[in-house]
Amino acid sequence: MKKWMKVGLASAAAASMLAACAKTSEPPAAEGTGNPNEKAKFSISMRTLAFNHVEKSPNINEDKWVKKLEELTNTDLNIVLVPHKEFEQKMIQMFATNDIPDVVQGSGGVAGKEMAGSVQAGVFLPLDDLLQKHGQNLLKKIPKDAWQKETYQGKIYAIPEFLSNPSRRATAIRKDLLDKAGLSVPKTVDEYLNVLRKFKELGVEQPYQGRENFKYADTFFGPFDAFPYLSMHMQQGDQIVPKFFNVDNMTKALQTYKTMFDEGLISKEFATINPTVYKNNILAGKAGMWSMNANEVLQWEKQLQANVPTAKVELIPSPVGPDGKGGYYLYNSVTRAWFINKKAKNPEAIIKFFDWMLSDEAEKFFTFGIEGETYKTVDGKIEYKSPTDPQGVDEERYRQAFLWMVQDTKYNKGTLSLTPEGQKLMSIYDTMLANEGRDGIQFEPRLEAYIKNPDIAPESDYAAPVLLQHMVKMVYGKEPISDWPKVIEEWKSKGGNDVVKEATEKFKSKDPNVTISMPRR
């Protein structure tokens, strides 16, 4: 296989291949040799996900956790890493050069932008028969709606990593700073802004931590139901249109960010803050409030406390708008998906490998690690203590969230249930987050008009390029927010009219080849 990718922050090239299969009573032979003692081999591409342990590894295939996974599954693993920041670009390059691993990680459904139409072009195997023979764990434990995301023309083309609670992102606050300010937990947008103003008075460098493309910095679009994202379509008259067509909601959201910008409540350079700087600012104690995946809050708090021992992070209800609702966009039911190349020599072994991911043995390994090294069993009960040092936290997160390729990614019940803090986080998921979130009408697969016009196509959690440039200019005061109707017209003129037409036709005709997901509320 050609070397077609480099790890984002790693010094060494990471263009190797992954081999993996499931450990069963009769381990599958490598490439159909018939020898059960021989390790099955197959290559697999994996997005680095900006995980420090992954991106700083000189050779991920020599990592001790990869080696242990090989031992448990009778495999010889060679992982091809795809840089997180360049994921779409590198994926498209991979398909263009036809240098495709045996297994390819996608971000979600069969029509994701990163897949570049490869499923429709016949690059991957339909998996229905293989799953029936070798993937009963997968079929029993993965929800129906997740399988639906991986279905094209009635056939399953990928194994989904799934999410049982679509409300995954949350608003985090430095509770120690909130207590120092003498303020209660804010509820409305105005109350949130007052908290940020007080943080600024206290000398907090980044009262609200901004980030490029408003990604993980979109807290104040939620109150106005104004997320300009892929899944956010609505009915307007007799048409199906993106939610950013609601001029009143979008202008209120943008005005909130402009107020924050003008008053110094968000960095003047927020539009250029990349994911690494964003997280580093938070862990260095420079931020007072931010958006994050809720399942990582305890790990981030430990890493922050290594720099600011008195810091206390708490997840709080997101700001509500005029309708009394708020929260972030609701996630896709699929967080990662695994496609099998039709040229793979041992697809049976690949299915068995992923089927093992949902076994009790796999859950124990990914959750607690290696017995005698990272945990011990006393009187039949597991004793495990999560690491508190930054490197250890990174390593645990890598094992539980990166290497565990198929699981329910809502939260890790095994580790959370061991501590009061973990039990509290599970409660937050099942109560507070379960009642938050914005969604809309969405189409699967992606509308053809979006595929043909990428400049106007939004992603799952950030706006289309043609919209983003105006959104940033408006917050910076370079364009009047009152010009938002002109932005809509520009979007329509660049292919948006085709999007509206296609969405409306598919919605009204109940197209059998399209899954139309309606808002949950």
Side-chain angles (χ1 to χ4, degrees):
M1 214 179 130
K2 298 177 183 177
K3 294 185 177 182
W4 53 277
M5 301 175 225
K6 292 183 179 179
V7 182
L9 298 179
S11 59
S16 50
M17 304 160 66
L18 170 68
C21 74
K23 182 179 181 181
T24 64
S25 57
E26 295 183 4
E31 300 184 2
T33 63
N35 184 352
N37 297 317
E38 209 170 330
K39 295 183 177 182
K41 296 182 179 181
F42 56 89
S43 53
I44 183 169
S45 64
M46 299 181 72
R47 186 174 186 173
T48 64
L49 300 176
F51 280 22
N52 284 332
H53 188 85
V54 178
E55 295 190 334
K56 292 181 179 180
S57 173
N59 185 348
I60 199 67
N61 293 300
E62 295 301 317
D63 177 84
K64 76 171 186 178
W65 296 108
V66 173
K67 292 299 184 183
K68 186 62 178 180
L69 183 56
E70 292 176 334
E71 178 187 328
L72 290 171
T73 56
N74 190 35
T75 61
D76 178 14
L77 307 182
N78 291 297
I79 302 172
V80 178
L81 293 176
V82 187
H84 185 66
K85 295 179 184 178
E86 305 171 87
F87 182 62
E88 287 184 4
Q89 174 189 341
K90 293 297 185 182
M91 288 285 284
I92 292 170
Q93 174 185 329
M94 176 186 72
F95 291 120
T97 59
N98 200 33
D99 190 15
I100 306 170
D102 296 317
V103 179
V104 172
Q105 178 204 321
S107 293
V110 295
K113 188 176 180 181
E114 79 285 352
M115 300 306 294
S118 55
V119 175
Q120 294 82 348
V123 172
F124 299 105
L125 279 174
L127 305 179
D128 302 74
D129 292 342
L130 288 165
L131 288 166
Q132 287 296 332
K133 294 178 182 178
H134 308 292
Q136 286 301 311
N137 269 339
L138 297 169
L139 292 175
K140 290 176 182 177
K141 296 182 180 182
I142 296 176
K144 182 179 178 180
D145 60 341
W147 286 118
Q148 187 61 51
K149 297 288 185 183
E150 310 312 326
T151 301
Y152 174 67
Q153 294 185 341
K155 295 290 185 179
I156 294 172
Y157 279 88
I159 299 167
E161 181 180 56
F162 58 99
L163 179 64
S164 61
N165 183 349
S167 183
R168 185 182 186 185
R169 288 190 186 176
T171 301
I173 195 168
R174 282 281 301 278
K175 186 62 165 55
D176 56 306
L177 295 178
L178 187 67
D179 292 342
K180 184 177 181 181
L183 298 175
S184 58
V185 173
K187 296 181 180 179
T188 66
V189 172
D190 287 341
E191 290 174 356
Y192 261 77
L193 292 177
N194 286 334
V195 167
L196 296 178
R197 292 181 180 113
K198 190 64 177 179
F199 282 176
K200 182 183 179 184
E201 291 177 14
L202 293 175
V204 179
E205 184 175 325
Q206 308 266 356
Y208 179 83
Q209 180 59 59
R211 182 171 151 180
E212 62 187 357
N213 299 332
F214 295 94
K215 188 167 182 174
Y216 285 98
D218 51 1
T219 305
F220 298 98
F221 287 101
F224 305 107
D225 198 10
F227 292 112
Y229 301 157
L230 184 62
S231 62
M232 298 296 180
H233 293 82
M234 66 179 183
Q235 193 160 2
Q236 188 178 73
D238 62 352
Q239 294 184 319
I240 303 299
V241 302
K243 283 195 173 183
F244 63 79
F245 272 44
N246 188 317
V247 175
D248 185 53
N249 285 355
M250 279 299 297
T251 54
K252 286 178 180 177
L254 290 170
Q255 184 57 57
T256 300
Y257 281 94
K258 188 175 188 305
T259 297
M260 293 163 62
F261 180 85
D262 291 344
E263 296 185 20
L265 308 181
I266 190 171
S267 170
K268 299 295 184 183
E269 290 78 38
F270 81 89
T272 58
I273 293 177
N274 64 38
T276 301
V277 174
Y278 167 84
K279 184 176 181 180
N280 287 345
N281 283 345
I282 294 170
L283 300 186
K286 296 179 180 181
M289 184 187 299
W290 61 91
S291 164
M292 69 179 301
N293 288 337
N295 61 348
E296 296 183 325
V297 65
L298 299 181
Q299 294 167 324
W300 282 35
E301 183 180 53
K302 290 175 185 176
Q303 292 174 299
L304 169 61
Q305 289 171 345
N307 299 309
V308 186
T310 59
K312 175 67 177 176
V313 179
E314 190 163 303
L315 300 180
I316 61 175
S318 299
V320 298
D323 62 357
K325 299 177 182 179
Y328 298 86
Y329 82 100
L330 296 179
Y331 267 66
N332 194 314
S333 57
V334 176
T335 51
R336 290 187 292 181
W338 309 95
F339 298 81
I340 301 178
N341 192 330
K342 67 179 182 182
K343 296 181 181 179
K345 296 180 180 179
N346 49 358
E348 296 85 0
I350 296 172
I351 294 293
K352 290 179 181 180
F353 170 74
F354 286 115
D355 194 67
W356 177 85
M357 289 280 169
L358 292 179
S359 68
D360 292 342
E361 182 184 37
E363 182 176 1
K364 181 182 289 188
F365 166 64
F366 291 118
T367 301
F368 303 115
I370 301 171
E371 187 167 12
E373 181 176 334
T374 56
Y375 77 92
K376 61 182 178 180
T377 303
V378 180
D379 296 329
K381 294 184 178 180
I382 289 177
E383 291 187 359
Y384 174 79
K385 186 176 181 180
S386 292
T388 56
D389 61 293
Q391 182 177 346
V393 171
D394 280 342
E395 189 172 342
E396 179 190 58
R397 179 172 176 248
Y398 152 76
R399 186 183 72 241
Q400 294 179 352
F402 181 84
L403 277 187
W404 197 354
M405 301 173 200
V406 179
Q407 60 171 311
D408 182 354
T409 57
K410 179 173 70 170
Y411 51 63
N412 190 301
K413 184 177 180 179
T415 51
L416 293 182
S417 62
L418 297 177
T419 65
E421 295 82 8
Q423 293 167 13
K424 179 181 178 181
L425 178 56
M426 288 193 293
S427 177
I428 286 173
Y429 261 99
D430 297 335
T431 56
M432 184 184 85
L433 290 182
N435 294 310
E436 285 193 0
R438 299 286 195 177
D439 59 358
I441 300 170
Q442 55 183 307
F443 299 86
E444 189 70 39
R446 183 185 296 232
L447 297 172
E448 285 294 325
Y450 277 139
I451 296 174
K452 294 177 181 178
N453 301 284
D455 189 50
I456 65 163
E459 291 303 316
S460 60
D461 60 353
Y462 61 90
V466 70
L467 301 181
L468 275 171
Q469 61 178 329
H470 291 291
M471 291 164 64
V472 171
K473 288 179 180 179
M474 289 175 176
V475 172
Y476 275 70
K478 304 297 184 182
E479 292 181 5
I481 295 176
S482 59
D483 275 357
W484 189 253
K486 295 181 181 179
V487 177
I488 295 175
E489 291 304 314
E490 180 182 350
W491 181 88
K492 290 164 66 176
S493 70
K494 292 184 175 180
N497 281 323
D498 294 334
V499 170
V500 173
K501 180 181 179 182
E502 183 183 356
T504 302
E505 289 177 351
K506 288 185 182 298
F507 184 82
K508 290 182 176 180
S509 67
K510 299 181 180 179
D511 190 322
N513 293 318
V514 174
T515 300
I516 300 174
S517 301
M518 294 296 291
R520 69 173 182 176
R521 62 165 68 92

